[in-house]
Amino acid sequence: DAGVIQSPRHEVTEMGQEVTLRCKPISGHNSLFWYRQTMMRGLELLIYFNNNVPIDDSGMPEDRFSAKMPNASFSTLKIQPSEPRDSAVYFCASSLLGVDNEQFFGPGTRLTVL
Amino acid sequence: KQEVTQIPAALSVPEGENLVLNCSFTDSAIYNLQWFRQDPGKGLTSLLLIQSSQREQTSGRLNASLDKSSGRSTLYIAASQPGDSATYLCALMNFGNEKLTFGTGTRLTIIP
């Protein structure tokens, strides 16, 4: 299995631009998670889906952030408009709910907003 | 609210030594606990998963234990190697949801 796939690996953009991060979970997994990691706040859960349905989005910072999961093999995290304080590494993870719930992480997308 | 603490924040030991990393948590109603390692600029690699009903898990030179009553987990690394240098994170899942609460991590350096 290729593991969790994220794209792009690096993104540099200017303040005010729209940013879209992409994630392909491990095949067969039914839960998907978006995390953000910064030096100041560590790892924070933004949102998670189960069977493509958003379950908990309480970690989404504000309305500028949105996430979708149109099917079992694809999810996006969108920031519009982006701000310098959004600069962080964004991780996607997936798991199989109801088995052991072990989460497997992708390599992350390093976002820099200038 | 679950709070997870990892002390020390950084640890350096000579190659070949056995070592223990600590993880403390405040809410013992956990579903499972995971230990991860993170190399600089990389993602998280799952090392071990302990279910609530288990006391320990082993994988190679790694052994993780769980004591819910005291709110503690330890990760034991035997015969440390320079390749073990990384940041180690523990993360807990409570009953009722799938959210992981992460500790702040311990940055481990193995000195050749």
Side-chain angles (χ1 to χ4, degrees), chain A:
Chain A
D1 197 317
V4 177
I5 299 172
Q6 292 187 245
S7 65
R9 295 293 310 277
H10 301 274
E11 177 81 26
V12 180
T13 190
E14 292 186 346
M15 183 173 61
Q17 296 297 306
E18 177 180 293
V19 175
T20 300
L21 311 181
R22 298 173 176 78
C23 175
K24 177 179 169 57
I26 292 173
S27 178
H29 281 187
N30 55 9
S31 290
L32 183 140
F33 307 81
W34 283 101
Y35 292 89
R36 178 171 68 177
Q37 186 177 37
T38 61
M39 289 292 293
M40 291 296 295
R41 300 174 68 91
L43 267 161
E44 303 173 283
L45 177 68
L46 301 176
I47 184 172
Y48 81 92
F49 297 82
N50 183 249
N51 292 320
N52 312 337
V53 176
I55 303 299
D56 187 336
D57 65 355
S58 60
M60 296 285 263
E62 48 199 273
D63 292 345
R64 297 184 298 105
F65 285 69
S66 63
K68 294 182 179 179
M69 191 165 187
N71 57 62
S73 59
F74 184 67
S75 177
T76 59
L77 178 67
K78 185 175 294 187
I79 308 172
Q80 167 63 19
S82 58
E83 298 182 1
R85 60 192 169 120
D86 302 331
S87 297
V89 181
Y90 291 81
F91 289 104
C92 176
S94 70
S95 70
L96 186 57
L97 176 65
V99 180
D100 57 16
N101 291 13
E102 184 174 6
Q103 293 190 18
F104 295 88
F105 280 67
T109 295
R110 181 174 296 277
L111 173 65
T112 302
V113 184
L114 303 174

Side-chain angles (χ1 to χ4, degrees), chain B residues 75-95:
Chain B
L75 179 66
Y76 174 84
I77 302 177
S80 58
Q81 304 171 357
D84 295 330
S85 296
T87 295
Y88 290 79
L89 297 142
C90 67
L92 286 76
M93 182 181 296
N94 283 95
F95 281 100

Side-chain angles (χ1 to χ4, degrees), chain B residues 48-101:
Chain B
L48 289 164
L49 172 77
I50 307 179
Q51 299 291 353
S52 176
S53 58
Q54 298 172 323
R55 294 299 299 267
E56 64 178 330
Q57 281 286 342
T58 297
S59 176
R61 295 182 295 108
L62 306 180
N63 175 276
S65 68
L66 175 63
D67 184 344
K68 291 187 296 180
S69 62
S70 66
R72 292 189 62 193
S73 175
T74 61
L75 179 66
Y76 174 84
I77 302 177
S80 58
Q81 304 171 357
D84 295 330
S85 296
T87 295
Y88 290 79
L89 297 142
C90 67
L92 286 76
M93 182 181 296
N94 283 95
F95 281 100
N97 63 65
E98 296 181 74
K99 299 167 69 168
L100 281 179
T101 302

